Amino acid sequence: MKYDKNNLNIAYIGGGSRGWAWNLMKDLAVDEEISGTVRLYDIDMDAAKANEKIGNMLSSRADVPGKWQYKAMETLKEALTGADFVIISILPGSFEEMASDVHLPEEYGIYQSVGDTVGPGGLVRALRTIPMFVEIAEAIKAHSPEAWVINYTNPMTLCTKTLYKVFPAIKAFGCCHEVFSTQKLMAAMLKEMRGIQGIGREEIKVNVIGINHFTWLNSAAYQGEDLLPLYRQFTEKYAEEGFAIDVEADAVRNSYFNSVNKVKFDLFRRYGLAAAAGDRHLAEFCPPWYLKDPDTAREWGFGLTPVSWRVKDLKDKMEKSRRLLSGEEQMELQHSGEEGIKQIKALVGLGDLVTNVNLPNMGQIQGLPAGAVVETNAVFSQNSIRPVSAGQLPDEVYSLVIRHVINQETVIKAAFSKDKDLAFKAFANDPLVNIGIKDAGRLFERMLANTRAYLPGWEIEK
Amino acid sequence: MKYDKNNLNIAYIGGGSRGWAWNLMKDLAVDEEISGTVRLYDIDMDAAKANEKIGNMLSSRADVPGKWQYKAMETLKEALTGADFVIISILPGSFEEMASDVHLPEEYGIYQSVGDTVGPGGLVRALRTIPMFVEIAEAIKAHSPEAWVINYTNPMTLCTKTLYKVFPAIKAFGCCHEVFSTQKLMAAMLKEMRGIQGIGREEIKVNVIGINHFTWLNSAAYQGEDLLPLYRQFTEKYAEEGFAIDVEADAVRNSYFNSVNKVKFDLFRRYGLAAAAGDRHLAEFCPPWYLKDPDTAREWGFGLTPVSWRVKDLKDKMEKSRRLLSGEEQMELQHSGEEGIKQIKALVGLGDLVTNVNLPNMGQIQGLPAGAVVETNAVFSQNSIRPVSAGQLPDEVYSLVIRHVINQETVIKAAFSKDKDLAFKAFANDPLVNIGIKDAGRLFERMLANTRAYLPGWEIEK
Amino acid sequence: MKYDKNNLNIAYIGGGSRGWAWNLMKDLAVDEEISGTVRLYDIDMDAAKANEKIGNMLSSRADVPGKWQYKAMETLKEALTGADFVIISILPGSFEEMASDVHLPEEYGIYQSVGDTVGPGGLVRALRTIPMFVEIAEAIKAHSPEAWVINYTNPMTLCTKTLYKVFPAIKAFGCCHEVFSTQKLMAAMLKEMRGIQGIGREEIKVNVIGINHFTWLNSAAYQGEDLLPLYRQFTEKYAEEGFAIDVEADAVRNSYFNSVNKVKFDLFRRYGLAAAAGDRHLAEFCPPWYLKDPDTAREWGFGLTPVSWRVKDLKDKMEKSRRLLSGEEQMELQHSGEEGIKQIKALVGLGDLVTNVNLPNMGQIQGLPAGAVVETNAVFSQNSIRPVSAGQLPDEVYSLVIRHVINQETVIKAAFSKDKDLAFKAFANDPLVNIGIKDAGRLFERMLANTRAYLPGWEIEK
Amino acid sequence: MKYDKNNLNIAYIGGGSRGWAWNLMKDLAVDEEISGTVRLYDIDMDAAKANEKIGNMLSSRADVPGKWQYKAMETLKEALTGADFVIISILPGSFEEMASDVHLPEEYGIYQSVGDTVGPGGLVRALRTIPMFVEIAEAIKAHSPEAWVINYTNPMTLCTKTLYKVFPAIKAFGCCHEVFSTQKLMAAMLKEMRGIQGIGREEIKVNVIGINHFTWLNSAAYQGEDLLPLYRQFTEKYAEEGFAIDVEADAVRNSYFNSVNKVKFDLFRRYGLAAAAGDRHLAEFCPPWYLKDPDTAREWGFGLTPVSWRVKDLKDKMEKSRRLLSGEEQMELQHSGEEGIKQIKALVGLGDLVTNVNLPNMGQIQGLPAGAVVETNAVFSQNSIRPVSAGQLPDEVYSLVIRHVINQETVIKAAFSKDKDLAFKAFANDPLVNIGIKDAGRLFERMLANTRAYLPGWEIEK
């Protein structure tokens, strides 16, 4: 595959989004090496059209070096045909279903900090999302089988797995920025403990091993120096009070999103590996150690993100969209911190890159099943991604991880076969579902009923 | 190894016991094919001496065909030297430690129905027991390396594993009668559903796959007919009310010990494999599906056995011991239902036997780690035990089982290295420990403190 | 599955044979516990009809306790419908193809002692036989899916594997008597070295581990005593001269079939495991250690069986068939030494049996691929066969065995896909094919051409 | 580990060599980024001293940018203490032993093209070399445990494995340039088939999978284009005549060393993977397909390198050494094509590098045993090497490779335990040892006798 770096074709599924799509626009805008066309596809065509206009306005600005043409497309087929790259970033369902995912379990004493990956909410979200990814995978197989496919949608593991299950030859991978935060935390630690300023997160070299949002670092180095001994001191020093970086001015957002990394510190102190995702995610993968109830979460210094916040946030973004379209406001020119463009450039042949990515296991993590989607580093080079051998998880961490890996395999089998009983086996085995089995059954049935519109063919009680 | 069936030497460690030891005496008494000497060793020498006398009184009775000589021995070395068979059935610690194992977790909202295998109680019991088995294994290695070693002590898996870890060439296996009850249940089912009377439990042929007290049957047959379809009807019919066999007259005992098999039925209906241990054991291996709180247990039809009952029961047995010694009462002549003697006879060369047993995994269960002690059928023949290939657990059951298998490996490593932090990793990962991690830490510390006398060399807070 | 032991239905595919079929008749004739019908199917209907008559004559004799009815059937469907057991014992192709298999390689300096399992001859025979077994497996699936299927045809491993590949739920196993000879050899050893007479081969308890005709014993015992130390002395004593048992009067037959077990002794002395098949078979699985040329074979004390002998032998048997039919001669009443009837009786429910058998690997041999057909002991009981865990081969023996296991997987893939290039990969990797690769290619092409009639759809040069 | 790039310490074991050591000097001389000290250690102290002088003369030249100080050291300890990098390039034994390795087997009809890796010669060389590497590994453990260790000595796999076996925490890897030639061949192919000139071998991106000297490429790309389809055309076009690159003027050398890649082409045409080592090496790993006899080798276009040539070559180099020391001749300033310096620079932190390397398997090749030393790509970065996941070998190639992997494990166990019988198991299982087992025994005994001086503690017949 040879790419014309000045005429790249990117298809964006979920192209009406105001989060990831705007980030992409900004990153393309500030890049001077590549250009081409972005075709936006969204089930909300108006949103795609709005982004087409916002993107082209940005591209036409004199201060913008990266020139791209944005086009909203009517069909998936049109968006995909001829694509060199496909980006998938969709919201599966509406906030209504998400509210059921996140909050209904609270009636049964189950609290979730995010609810989009594991836990009862993550599981039901997966059941709803998998059929959408089946459709996308089939379209890619038909219209752009040679394209590289970048997924940003959660639940990351199951979305990526679905793509491979439908189309095993797909060149897909899943991207997630959670590891970056841990690199940033280590950079902050070097400032705090050693007074070294201005270290970029890429300078913290890590070995990534795990599954998305439950990822671990079994080595971390700065300029060749092993950082884990220092990290031990650091986690001990801040075990009680925690240590926060990047605190935003928005106090409300803070209370829901930020954490002081106490979960991360506790896991490191107990397991000797640095967990590398936000505390809100990590807590959901563990037994109810940190999520027994809202008080426990508070004690560990992280918030439970309510869906009401997401509703409010979307409203803000739609207002911003209006301002951008009217010219009242201009898109800020600033790199988003995401790596999508770097990865695309490496695949185009503009320099190799080693970064973390979600891919089916082909040995990069020993002991996890072949084909399970896992997160490790990989070498990106021209038209090629190869995972880096990450090694093996220690037994006790393996035990925490394999449970989710098996649950995820069960969920995907259940989603493909529309088998409610099978799905419930995963549901009941989720670490957060610590309730009587009958209550678990009732909760599951109610959650399915609430997302029924996305589960055609399932036998769901009304 | 050639055995003289009329001059067998059995060493009994824990030979002062009034449960398993009396069962052995009775089974030897009614058997006509073998005879020899039983050497009783116990840290309570008086109890051993009492049993010596009780055994010899029994042997001397005219109505007893099986003639054995019983001798209480002062040292483990004397008991073992020259032994063809070694039986281990000890009580690790006293009821005081057991009360802490079983009841202290209740303060934290953790309820256990037995508390001797897994759960916080089983784990702490294991830590206390492993050093005793280290000592026993070393003595066997020194004094009777060729003897067959039969363990009855709980936690079965970890006791057996310890024997192999210390002395890899040991010829040891673990025996448990829990599977028998499920065979009996199926015989009762055939009576209930088909009107067939008088089926012996051995006539129910089963394939056993799992770990002790969390064992499963993936096939069951009577006279060549697959019983699982009938078992499905049966479990559906009795899902709500349950179905009890062997209800004893003793109402108190019933309320603590018997169950109506509703847990078993629920697991079968959900997983398609028949769980083959008492509901009280099964419930402890699962997430808090059946043990969320005492009400949940009650709803599922099984009792939580209080240690007070065990104290009372021992008192009754000591009284009975007194009566036996004084001649006031005579030991009843009746087979115990245990298989120990059958196994010994098969090993001596008096006919092959296929039955379930706990042995290190050498492939009999695919997918579980090599060397983990697992429960499957095995072929017993002269001086030989070979496990039968049991196959593979379905993924969803595997997930429930592997968690305990890994925890057990962690516990044994922790016990050998006296590593409290390592032990806590297993503790916190037990399915019943569904509490905040800090509470878990406090509970663990208190439980260790209560069993401190048996943990020399550990760093335990006072 | 409940069987009526007095009304069993056996279908015999290859029912016109004068070897295995007559053995079956004799074994059924002397058995007093079971009776029923044997339906004979053969592509040579006349041969089947002759055997029908011979069988019924035998059954009608007053001195014959086992009463069976023999019926030659026109179609496979008729033979199979209603069968409880299916026996397969066919000759794939004629002596013409066999002569090519065995003797054409001699032109290239490759010598084979049997040529029906591995080596160039065994491989080409497999390619010819697999399509026949595909047809049989499909017929069984259609007409007698619940029947137990006993295969005697070589190449055993690939015939059995084909049955499972076509119909995974088949209840099939492969039977071979080669292990028995090694048991007999050990009984003879006990006579020779210890003076113990009259030991039956079943009294030598062995653990069987390997693949058919390249099977090994890693333990052997008599009355509980480990025989391997004695076997070491024995193999050292007879390393040079060899040791023969069961030498028949027929000197010609001897020169082709018997061996003095020197290959077996050499393998034991080098590997510490007792190889458990005839030297003629064992030699073919090894590098040309024993088959470098006819002189080497002679030096090792075994013959190369020429196909001319088989032609002559068949002629003798046809003459005997004529005599049996005319009443000139009566079938001798004598057990054949085969275990087929014992196995059938165990499956019917008339007593358990542990014996060696060929089955897909489900963990009975650790380290060999799941699904590969391997030879180990198994427990036969009513309507059930379960392999016994045999353990693991030592690395150096594993290396010899895995090569054939992989070759066999390649051969079966090649046969199913009619892929000559793929088949040649196995051919060139056979240990006996120690010639230049171009010569190997020419030999392969010529051998395929000679068996072309049985390879429809293959692209074979004329 | 932080490195001072202007004060690096390199210890060179075998520092008196006139091959690899001179290459290192030249590569250091032309590099402008790093400098420091090279400490030369050799059991031939005079040779080390000569190289000290040659190195320092080179360093002092005005046209040489890379300034290094060379010092011959008396002891291994002095050489190693303080080393950042250790290079090992030794000749195990003298040409006398090598002559026995390579030529004695010819008396038995076994022909070897190199005789230093596998085959009877490679195996005996390994037995001789392993004790030397035990000594080196122990010295590194004692004196420079943190140093990166680069091995160039053959047999590569076993030398590297020995280092890890003695000192598991060693940071060692094995380097070999054979893959580079296949990259060059593909560059030449692009010129030949497409007319594209001047492609550097690094521009051919390959995925490396296998073991040293029997390495395979399952993907190869140029500018993102899959080259394997073109390679298929190319290998078909040149299957008969072959295709040579880099033919040297020296006709004698040519006849012994060069090949026309016909073995490589044949293997690709049959297996679909590109074998990536010289034909002389590849042929030795296969059954006698290409090495049946000297004629077969000739037909396949490669030579058998006689030791006499190596004797002559050394003489030439010693003469050159004399001229360099006297100043008659000046070392040419030219990069050697080796990657050692690039690797060192990447480890120092001067830019990442992906290249092929020999390391213990930690999952980079699925299906090969953990810990076996395998060859794949790896990511070199500051103080870190991580293998890239290479995937899995196809079954038929796996069969060829696993045989050597197991043999190598056997050889190393035998060398450590001085167990001749065990070593012979590997010897007899080598693909080139296609002779009667008794002849194999005699040959092995004679070869061991010839290298007896290096096998203290072995029981070798005189």
Side-chain angles (χ1 to χ4, degrees), chain A residues 1-2 223-224 366 382 387 389, chain D residues 1-2 223-224 382 387 389:
Chain A
M1 209 69 189
K2 239 176 164 166
Q223 294 192 346
Q366 278 182 296
Q382 189 166 355
S389 292
Chain D
M1 209 67 192
K2 241 177 162 167
Q223 295 193 345
Q382 190 167 354
S389 291

Side-chain angles (χ1 to χ4, degrees), chain A residues 192-343:
Chain A
E192 179 72 15
M193 306 285 284
R194 290 266 181 85
I196 312 176
Q197 306 239 8
I199 300 175
R201 68 130 188 112
E202 302 89 343
E203 294 177 74
I204 308 298
K205 302 291 179 188
V206 295
N207 186 55
V208 177
I209 179 164
I211 54 174
N212 184 250
H213 290 170
F214 202 39
T215 311
W216 302 77
L217 311 180
N218 58 12
S219 84
Y222 173 63
Q223 294 192 346
E225 181 199 339
D226 179 4
L227 289 179
L228 295 187
L230 184 65
Y231 193 59
R232 182 160 293 277
Q233 291 170 36
F234 180 64
T235 57
E236 274 161 23
K237 183 169 174 190
Y238 291 99
E240 284 312 312
E241 48 170 316
F243 182 94
I245 48 168
D246 286 346
V247 181
E248 297 186 22
D250 179 345
V252 175
R253 190 184 153 88
N254 280 348
S255 74
Y256 295 149
F257 276 88
N258 283 318
S259 88
V260 292
N261 294 304
K262 286 177 67 173
V263 170
K264 217 177 267 96
F265 295 170
D266 185 60
L267 289 171
F268 181 76
R269 294 178 69 206
R270 296 205 283 123
Y271 292 105
L273 269 70
D279 281 18
R280 288 157 57 250
H281 284 301
L282 295 172
E284 292 186 337
F285 280 81
C286 296
W289 298 337
Y290 312 107
L291 271 171
K292 175 79 179 157
D293 47 38
D295 280 349
T296 307
R298 209 168 296 123
E299 197 186 342
W300 284 99
F302 64 94
L304 310 181
T305 313
V307 173
S308 57
W309 183 89
R310 296 189 191 271
V311 172
K312 155 91 173 48
D313 180 58
L314 179 62
K315 217 175 125 192
D316 294 349
K317 283 189 177 142
M318 289 182 75
E319 175 56 22
K320 176 168 179 171
S321 175
R322 194 197 52 73
R323 291 197 304 273
L324 289 170
L325 286 166
S326 69
E328 253 171 87
E329 182 177 333
Q330 293 247 320
M331 188 75 85
E332 60 278 22
L333 274 194
Q334 184 191 358
H335 196 280
S336 71
E338 298 296 334
E339 286 213 327
I341 302 309
K342 278 196 200 174
Q343 291 167 341

Side-chain angles (χ1 to χ4, degrees), chain D residues 138-155:
Chain D
E138 283 167 351
I140 290 168
K141 187 177 177 184
H143 307 305
S144 56
E146 289 294 322
W148 284 98
V149 179
I150 309 174
N151 177 55
Y152 289 107
T153 313
N154 282 332

